[in-house]
PDB file of all heavy atoms in Angstrom:
ATOM      1  N   LEU N   4      24.477  83.522  81.921  1.00 94.00           N
ATOM      2  CA  LEU N   4      25.352  82.593  81.220  1.00 94.00           C
ATOM      3  C   LEU N   4      24.518  81.658  80.358  1.00 94.00           C
ATOM      4  O   LEU N   4      23.337  81.423  80.625  1.00 94.00           O
ATOM      5  CB  LEU N   4      26.173  81.781  82.215  1.00 94.00           C
ATOM      6  CG  LEU N   4      27.038  82.570  83.208  1.00 94.00           C
ATOM      7  CD1 LEU N   4      27.742  81.616  84.166  1.00 94.00           C
ATOM      8  CD2 LEU N   4      28.050  83.431  82.462  1.00 94.00           C
ATOM      9  N   ASN N   5      25.136  81.110  79.321  1.00 94.00           N
ATOM     10  CA  ASN N   5      24.438  80.107  78.514  1.00 94.00           C
ATOM     11  C   ASN N   5      25.431  79.080  78.011  1.00 94.00           C
ATOM     12  O   ASN N   5      26.621  79.376  77.843  1.00 94.00           O
ATOM     13  CB  ASN N   5      23.660  80.757  77.372  1.00 94.00           C
ATOM     14  CG  ASN N   5      24.568  81.292  76.287  1.00 94.00           C
ATOM     15  OD1 ASN N   5      25.004  80.564  75.398  1.00 94.00           O
ATOM     16  ND2 ASN N   5      24.863  82.593  76.347  1.00 94.00           N
ATOM     17  N   GLU N   6      24.925  77.883  77.787  1.00 96.00           N
ATOM     18  CA  GLU N   6      25.760  76.810  77.266  1.00 96.00           C
ATOM     19  C   GLU N   6      24.914  75.839  76.462  1.00 96.00           C
ATOM     20  O   GLU N   6      23.699  75.761  76.638  1.00 96.00           O
ATOM     21  CB  GLU N   6      26.471  76.076  78.397  1.00 96.00           C
ATOM     22  CG  GLU N   6      25.549  75.483  79.452  1.00 96.00           C
ATOM     23  CD  GLU N   6      26.314  74.896  80.630  1.00 96.00           C
ATOM     24  OE1 GLU N   6      26.674  75.663  81.547  1.00 96.00           O
ATOM     25  OE2 GLU N   6      26.544  73.675  80.614  1.00 96.00           O
ATOM     26  N   ASP N   7      25.572  75.132  75.580  1.00 96.00           N
ATOM     27  CA  ASP N   7      24.891  74.147  74.748  1.00 96.00           C
ATOM     28  C   ASP N   7      24.971  72.775  75.421  1.00 96.00           C
ATOM     29  O   ASP N   7      26.053  72.311  75.771  1.00 96.00           O
ATOM     30  CB  ASP N   7      25.537  74.082  73.360  1.00 96.00           C
ATOM     31  CG  ASP N   7      24.844  73.087  72.444  1.00 96.00           C
ATOM     32  OD1 ASP N   7      25.183  71.887  72.500  1.00 96.00           O
ATOM     33  OD2 ASP N   7      23.958  73.498  71.688  1.00 96.00           O
ATOM     34  N   ILE N   8      23.809  72.170  75.611  1.00 95.00           N
ATOM     35  CA  ILE N   8      23.752  70.835  76.210  1.00 95.00           C
ATOM     36  C   ILE N   8      23.053  69.914  75.233  1.00 95.00           C
ATOM     37  O   ILE N   8      21.829  69.911  75.122  1.00 95.00           O
ATOM     38  CB  ILE N   8      22.994  70.858  77.554  1.00 95.00           C
ATOM     39  CG1 ILE N   8      23.644  71.849  78.520  1.00 95.00           C
ATOM     40  CG2 ILE N   8      22.957  69.463  78.173  1.00 95.00           C
ATOM     41  CD1 ILE N   8      22.890  72.014  79.815  1.00 95.00           C
ATOM     42  N   LYS N   9      23.827  69.177  74.476  1.00 89.00           N
ATOM     43  CA  LYS N   9      23.289  68.233  73.493  1.00 89.00           C
ATOM     44  C   LYS N   9      22.293  68.920  72.542  1.00 89.00           C
ATOM     45  O   LYS N   9      21.252  68.382  72.190  1.00 89.00           O
ATOM     46  CB  LYS N   9      22.619  67.038  74.190  1.00 89.00           C
ATOM     47  CG  LYS N   9      23.551  66.248  75.090  1.00 89.00           C
ATOM     48  CD  LYS N   9      22.879  65.031  75.674  1.00 89.00           C
ATOM     49  CE  LYS N   9      22.597  63.981  74.609  1.00 89.00           C
ATOM     50  NZ  LYS N   9      22.131  62.696  75.200  1.00 89.00           N
ATOM     51  N   GLY N  10      22.608  70.157  72.146  1.00 94.00           N
ATOM     52  CA  GLY N  10      21.757  70.881  71.212  1.00 94.00           C
ATOM     53  C   GLY N  10      20.675  71.722  71.876  1.00 94.00           C
ATOM     54  O   GLY N  10      19.955  72.447  71.190  1.00 94.00           O
ATOM     55  N   ILE N  11      20.541  71.637  73.198  1.00 97.00           N
ATOM     56  CA  ILE N  11      19.597  72.472  73.947  1.00 97.00           C
ATOM     57  C   ILE N  11      20.380  73.611  74.592  1.00 97.00           C
ATOM     58  O   ILE N  11      21.408  73.378  75.231  1.00 97.00           O
ATOM     59  CB  ILE N  11      18.870  71.651  75.031  1.00 97.00           C
ATOM     60  CG1 ILE N  11      18.019  70.559  74.384  1.00 97.00           C
ATOM     61  CG2 ILE N  11      18.006  72.550  75.919  1.00 97.00           C
ATOM     62  CD1 ILE N  11      17.390  69.608  75.384  1.00 97.00           C
ATOM     63  N   THR N  12      19.916  74.845  74.418  1.00 98.00           N
ATOM     64  CA  THR N  12      20.597  75.986  75.014  1.00 98.00           C
ATOM     65  C   THR N  12      20.067  76.213  76.426  1.00 98.00           C
ATOM     66  O   THR N  12      18.863  76.339  76.631  1.00 98.00           O
ATOM     67  CB  THR N  12      20.386  77.262  74.176  1.00 98.00           C
ATOM     68  OG1 THR N  12      20.719  76.995  72.814  1.00 98.00           O
ATOM     69  CG2 THR N  12      21.275  78.381  74.694  1.00 98.00           C
ATOM     70  N   PHE N  13      20.976  76.252  77.377  1.00 98.00           N
ATOM     71  CA  PHE N  13      20.619  76.397  78.795  1.00 98.00           C
ATOM     72  C   PHE N  13      21.129  77.738  79.296  1.00 98.00           C
ATOM     73  O   PHE N  13      22.309  78.066  79.182  1.00 98.00           O
ATOM     74  CB  PHE N  13      21.241  75.248  79.589  1.00 98.00           C
ATOM     75  CG  PHE N  13      20.992  75.301  81.069  1.00 98.00           C
ATOM     76  CD1 PHE N  13      19.772  75.714  81.589  1.00 98.00           C
ATOM     77  CD2 PHE N  13      21.984  74.920  81.965  1.00 98.00           C
ATOM     78  CE1 PHE N  13      19.541  75.752  82.961  1.00 98.00           C
ATOM     79  CE2 PHE N  13      21.772  74.946  83.332  1.00 98.00           C
ATOM     80  CZ  PHE N  13      20.536  75.370  83.827  1.00 98.00           C
ATOM     81  N   TYR N  14      20.194  78.541  79.851  1.00 98.00           N
ATOM     82  CA  TYR N  14      20.520  79.868  80.368  1.00 98.00           C
ATOM     83  C   TYR N  14      20.351  79.878  81.889  1.00 98.00           C
ATOM     84  O   TYR N  14      19.364  79.351  82.405  1.00 98.00           O
ATOM     85  CB  TYR N  14      19.581  80.921  79.775  1.00 98.00           C
ATOM     86  CG  TYR N  14      19.654  81.061  78.277  1.00 98.00           C
ATOM     87  CD1 TYR N  14      18.921  80.219  77.442  1.00 98.00           C
ATOM     88  CD2 TYR N  14      20.441  82.052  77.690  1.00 98.00           C
ATOM     89  CE1 TYR N  14      18.978  80.353  76.068  1.00 98.00           C
ATOM     90  CE2 TYR N  14      20.501  82.190  76.306  1.00 98.00           C
ATOM     91  CZ  TYR N  14      19.768  81.349  75.505  1.00 98.00           C
ATOM     92  OH  TYR N  14      19.824  81.474  74.133  1.00 98.00           O
ATOM     93  N   TYR N  15      21.312  80.510  82.586  1.00 97.00           N
ATOM     94  CA  TYR N  15      21.203  80.588  84.041  1.00 97.00           C
ATOM     95  C   TYR N  15      22.055  81.741  84.559  1.00 97.00           C
ATOM     96  O   TYR N  15      23.081  82.093  83.972  1.00 97.00           O
ATOM     97  CB  TYR N  15      21.655  79.280  84.687  1.00 97.00           C
ATOM     98  CG  TYR N  15      23.083  78.879  84.382  1.00 97.00           C
ATOM     99  CD1 TYR N  15      24.130  79.228  85.250  1.00 97.00           C
ATOM    100  CD2 TYR N  15      23.395  78.156  83.229  1.00 97.00           C
ATOM    101  CE1 TYR N  15      25.442  78.855  84.972  1.00 97.00           C
ATOM    102  CE2 TYR N  15      24.701  77.791  82.941  1.00 97.00           C
ATOM    103  CZ  TYR N  15      25.714  78.147  83.815  1.00 97.00           C
ATOM    104  OH  TYR N  15      27.022  77.811  83.543  1.00 97.00           O
ATOM    105  N   PRO N  16      21.625  82.353  85.671  1.00 96.00           N
ATOM    106  CA  PRO N  16      22.425  83.420  86.287  1.00 96.00           C
ATOM    107  C   PRO N  16      23.708  82.837  86.879  1.00 96.00           C
ATOM    108  O   PRO N  16      23.718  81.713  87.403  1.00 96.00           O
ATOM    109  CB  PRO N  16      21.514  83.971  87.400  1.00 96.00           C
ATOM    110  CG  PRO N  16      20.141  83.467  87.074  1.00 96.00           C
ATOM    111  CD  PRO N  16      20.337  82.170  86.361  1.00 96.00           C
TER     112      PRO N  16
END
Side-chain angles (χ1 to χ4, degrees):
L4 303 178
N5 72 83
E6 57 186 84
D7 181 275
I8 303 175
K9 300 184 69 171
I11 296 174
T12 309
F13 178 38
Y14 298 84
Y15 59 94

